[in-house]
Amino acid sequence: MKLYHVLRNVDKFRTVFDFGAREVAHWFPGHMAKGLKQMRASLKSVDCVIEIHDARIPFSGRNPLFQETLDVRPHLLILNKMDLSDLSNKQRILKKLEKNGVRNVVFTDCLKQRDDNIKKLVPLVVEIIESKPRFNREENTNYCLMVIGVPNVGKSSLINSLRRTNLKKGRASRVGGEPGITKAVLTKIQVCERPIMHLLDTPGVLPPKIESVETGMKLALCGTILDHLVGEDIIADYLLYSLNRLGKFSYVEKYDLQEPSDDIQHVLKRIAVKLKKTQRVKAITGVGNITITVPNYTAAAYDFIRAFRKGELGQVMLD
């Protein structure tokens, strides 16, 4: 009876998300424009471009400005955070990417201590480079790669993972949980001894204008845009809509809900109560002001979003 009741309610949930008149902020700080200019200037010394993107959004948000870069150098696409992505339709993803001209694709989990796919990268990159003319770098026996991508998809984590795997050395690039950690193109970072291979780390660069509000919302949900630019409340609501649409109801058990819900205020209230995230506010009454304790919806929204980003709500494919 309870299962029937739950399924009946889910059938009434939203099938379309109402963005209203919202517009995602055009987040293109000065260091992004500067970084893109430096990347183009550095291309003459680069043998291969490694583009890294979030495996949960393999199509959304890939910067079209990179296409100019990708067209003149061998290209490898790494879809990172595969541990957080639902890859049951992996072949569909690969076929669609190939249709778009992307043939060299590797899925990785760069935070994993031992990732077999990371071990395959150096031989694959050498094979890709050797299959194309190297122009003015024909006589060089060492390789130089450039790592590009939108913010917070794991570029620095990839560099550190390659160093850990091939050189048995620690991190060389700072890693953070929010976009904008790498501010400028760095000096060469060695990631392999045989062959000698260096990577150029670059800042995450978003397009000056995101193609649609929904694309921007997916980027925000995956943490590539700072939360406050979009709003934690709308990101949390879009997350709830997405989980329900995909039939991912693990949030019900995690936050002790009785059943799936399509009401973000109800869900955030339950989260706030469970996690004891409350705040004291003044209320004006007819006999004077009183202080009452109410749920902290912003703190609850932040916890909900963070749980998704850490994979605590299950593996999800947003595209």
Side-chain angles (χ1 to χ4, degrees):
M1 185 70 177
K2 185 177 180 180
L3 178 61
Y4 169 77
H5 182 65
V6 169
L7 292 177
R8 182 186 63 186
N9 286 347
V10 168
D11 191 52
K12 298 177 182 178
F13 286 177
R14 291 170 290 180
T15 57
V16 177
F17 190 82
D18 182 12
F19 294 104
R22 291 185 180 91
E23 288 187 8
V24 177
H26 298 165
W27 192 57
F28 201 77
H31 79 267
M32 286 193 177
K34 179 182 177 182
L36 192 59
K37 185 177 180 180
Q38 286 180 303
M39 287 156 61
R40 287 170 175 160
S42 301
L43 269 180
K44 60 184 179 182
S45 62
V46 171
D47 297 303
C48 180
V49 173
I50 296 182
E51 179 190 2
I52 184 165
H53 201 60
D54 195 311
R56 293 169 293 184
I57 45 172
F59 312 113
S60 292
R62 288 180 59 214
N63 193 337
L65 292 177
F66 291 149
Q67 195 60 47
E68 178 185 337
T69 303
L70 304 184
D71 282 345
V72 297
R73 287 291 181 275
H75 170 229
L76 171 66
L77 174 63
I78 292 179
L79 292 175
N80 191 36
K81 305 185 182 183
M82 62 178 289
D83 57 310
L84 305 178
S85 177
D86 180 0
L87 296 180
S88 56
N89 288 319
K90 184 176 177 179
Q91 291 306 312
R92 175 188 69 85
I93 296 169
L94 293 173
K95 287 181 179 178
K96 186 172 179 179
L97 287 169
E98 185 174 2
K99 189 176 180 181
N100 294 336
V102 182
R103 294 176 177 81
N104 301 308
V105 183
V106 177
F107 291 84
T108 62
D109 174 8
C110 290
L111 293 181
K112 192 176 180 181
Q113 284 299 311
R114 296 175 64 87
D115 183 358
D116 290 338
N117 288 341
I118 292 292
K119 294 180 181 179
K120 300 174 184 176
L121 283 183
V122 169
L124 178 59
V125 166
V126 171
E127 181 183 336
I128 292 172
I129 293 173
E130 295 299 330
S131 67
K132 299 285 182 69
R134 294 184 71 197
F135 304 105
N136 61 319
R137 293 179 51 77
E138 194 72 48
E139 297 179 0
N140 287 26
T141 57
N142 60 320
Y143 300 100
C144 182
L145 320 175
M146 180 182 287
V147 183
I148 64 175
V150 299
N152 202 29
V153 289
K155 295 182 296 298
S156 297
S157 295
L158 171 67
I159 292 174
N160 294 332
S161 182
L162 284 168
R163 283 175 58 82
R164 186 170 62 242
T165 300
N166 299 307
L167 297 177
K168 312 303 179 188
K169 293 184 179 180
R171 63 173 57 177
S173 290
R174 185 181 170 197
V175 176
E178 64 178 36
I181 291 297
T182 304
K183 298 291 186 183
V185 177
L186 305 178
T187 54
K188 290 182 180 179
I189 302 171
Q190 186 171 356
V191 295
C192 189
E193 185 67 41
R194 296 182 181 178
I196 296 175
M197 186 174 290
H198 295 84
L199 292 186
L200 290 176
D201 194 7
T202 64
V205 178
L206 284 167
K209 186 173 182 181
I210 296 169
E211 61 187 43
S212 70
V213 177
E214 183 150 23
T215 294
M217 202 62 68
K218 291 178 182 179
L219 287 166
L221 186 52
C222 291
T224 68
I225 300 175
L226 290 169
D227 292 343
H228 71 269
L229 293 177
V230 181
E232 288 86 349
D233 56 340
I234 180 66
I235 298 174
D237 194 19
Y238 184 75
L239 171 57
L240 180 64
Y241 159 77
S242 299
L243 292 174
N244 288 335
R245 179 176 58 86
L246 296 169
K248 305 283 186 177
F249 303 121
S250 58
Y251 69 89
V252 175
E253 182 178 355
K254 178 173 175 61
Y255 295 115
D256 295 337
L257 274 68
Q258 291 185 338
E259 60 187 21
S261 174
D262 199 30
D263 182 350
I264 189 59
Q265 294 300 313
H266 170 71
V267 172
L268 293 182
K269 183 176 181 180
R270 293 301 309 162
I271 295 174
V273 170
K274 176 178 172 59
L275 301 180
K276 297 182 173 58
K277 293 184 179 294
T278 58
Q279 58 187 347
R280 295 176 66 80
V281 298
K282 287 186 177 180
I284 301 174
T285 69
V287 293
N289 297 347
I290 61 172
T291 301
I292 60 174
T293 301
V294 299
N296 188 330
Y297 288 99
T298 300
Y302 177 73
D303 189 89
F304 190 36
I305 296 165
R306 183 176 60 179
F308 165 76
R309 292 173 182 166
K310 293 172 67 176
E312 296 174 359
L313 302 180
Q315 296 174 315
V316 175
M317 173 65 67
L318 294 172
D319 278 346

